[in-house]
Amino acid sequence: MVNLIKSGAVVAALIFAYWLGLSNGKNSEELKHARAEISTLTRTIQEFKTKQTSDAVALAQLRIDESARRTELDRMRSQLSELERRAKTDADRERNRCLSFGVRCQEALERAAGAVKFCAENHK
């Protein structure tokens, strides 16, 4: 009878040890999986931060370019105003209207070119 109790205790201890080993193994695998997922998410976050920095630099450059173009267009408008003020004949006035139309077209082209450039650089 004592041998039977000892054998039962040994079997129970083995079953408990087996169950404990499975539980620890499962937790270890889950931990490995979680670490791998954290590593992947960290890399993804870093990639997004890099992209965000790149977009910010491109946007700043676009603003600088836009400001320079705006200054140039203002200069052209000023020259046109001066020409219109000095215009004496209808032919002069017509030529000035054409030049004014050219400036407006240039403005539209500059805005479109800036938008296209930004999209080309940042949305590959």
Side-chain angles (χ1 to χ4, degrees):
M1 183 74 162
V2 173
N3 284 337
L4 187 59
I5 292 175
K6 286 182 184 179
S7 296
V10 169
V11 169
L14 285 174
I15 290 173
F16 178 73
Y18 178 75
W19 177 79
L20 191 59
L22 282 178
S23 178
N24 284 340
K26 182 179 177 186
N27 289 342
S28 177
E29 287 298 317
E30 287 175 355
L31 184 60
K32 287 179 187 175
H33 178 70
R35 284 182 180 154
E37 195 167 322
I38 289 170
S39 176
T40 301
L41 291 173
T42 302
R43 277 193 308 272
T44 302
I45 289 170
Q46 188 59 40
E47 289 170 5
F48 278 115
K49 283 182 181 179
T50 302
K51 178 70 171 140
Q52 182 181 18
T53 302
S54 172
D55 286 349
V57 168
L59 186 58
Q61 185 59 47
L62 183 63
R63 287 180 179 151
I64 291 168
D65 293 345
E66 182 181 7
S67 178
R69 287 183 185 109
R70 199 176 305 122
T71 301
E72 176 63 17
L73 289 171
D74 287 344
R75 185 189 64 76
M76 290 171 72
R77 277 193 213 102
S78 173
Q79 287 178 342
L80 279 174
S81 294
E82 181 63 23
L83 287 173
E84 286 175 356
R85 191 177 58 77
R86 292 181 182 179
K88 304 284 187 218
T89 66
D90 285 339
D92 290 340
R93 288 185 190 94
E94 184 64 30
R95 181 191 49 147
N96 290 343
R97 278 193 291 272
C98 290
L99 290 172
S100 177
F101 180 70
V103 169
R104 287 193 307 252
C105 288
Q106 183 70 26
E107 288 174 335
L109 285 172
E110 293 292 333
R111 283 194 302 267
V116 168
K117 179 182 175 186
F118 179 78
C119 288
E121 290 176 356
N122 297 292
H123 300 289
K124 296 176 182 175

